[in-house]
Amino acid sequence: MTAWNRQRRFQGHRDIGLDDQGHEQARRLAGRLADAGLVAVHTSDLARARDTAAPVAARLGLPAVTDTGLRERCYGDFEGRTYDEIEAAFPDAFARWQAREPDFVLPGGGESLRDFAARCAEAFERIARSYPGGRVAAVSHGGVLDIAYRLATGLALEAPRRHELLNASINRIRFEDGRWSLVDWADVAHLDSVLDDASVRRADRRGRAGLPGQALQR
């Protein structure tokens, strides 16, 4: 969780750190994964993901390997603005983003959904192939998790999202014989006592992921 999550403000490549609740979520996550049999921890290079990965890696006695391929989508001119501000300033671009047009490039140097998905898929496969038969945590972001879910289920890029993207959740996908499959999604059993407010739960839904066993989001 970050302050910008609460404000429903687009983060993208902006390097926003965790708030106090986010750090507590990361500590709870580390405890939950202590006996998960992880052989490696990879993380986006952005602070909110690195700060989530750090206690996990420390608990396991592993390095947290940074990977720019796990970065959130670049949202260009959307970054730093709330949903309402974007809709007012860029109504056409906002509508096309909401429509999930795969080849629409976000204004101000943002990524298209298709290019973003290709970047994520390449990072996931590269990481998974580096640890054949091993269970790896990949700590990333909401948009990256969305792509992980679509890869594992075959859901099209332009299809509406019905799956949850929760901060510090555990999302399990498997890479086997060159194919992805879904094992489990949006497990937040370790966060119950720090997610007991409905408004916080709603804000948290933009929220980290692991490979091939875990996927953790920010």
Side-chain angles (χ1 to χ4, degrees), residues 122-137:
E122 188 279 330
F124 293 153
E125 184 164 344
R126 171 170 38 79
I127 292 169
R129 289 189 183 280
S130 297
Y131 306 92
R135 180 172 292 179
V136 182

Side-chain angles (χ1 to χ4, degrees), residues 10-14 44 46 48 68-76 78-79 93 96-107 109-117 119-120 140-147 157 206 218:
F10 276 64
Q11 296 178 110
H13 284 193
R14 298 287 186 94
S44 159
L46 296 176
R48 57 193 186 273
T68 58
L70 295 175
R71 273 192 176 197
E72 180 60 283
R73 182 178 178 183
C74 179
Y75 285 103
F78 285 15
E79 294 184 6
R96 296 182 71 178
W97 169 75
Q98 285 195 312
R100 300 189 62 86
E101 294 185 22
D103 296 307
F104 174 59
V105 177
L106 294 166
E111 289 178 283
S112 72
L113 183 56
R114 194 178 307 280
D115 287 347
F116 171 59
R119 166 166 66 83
C120 294
S140 193
H141 309 277
V144 181
L145 280 191
D146 178 59
I147 300 303
L157 286 178
R206 294 196 57 80
R218 279 299 184 201

Side-chain angles (χ1 to χ4, degrees), residues 33 38 40-43 56 127 135-139 209-212 214-216:
L33 294 178
L38 295 171
V41 177
H42 283 244
T43 176
V56 175
I127 292 169
R135 180 172 292 179
V136 182
V139 184
L211 302 169
Q214 329 290 328
L216 320 169

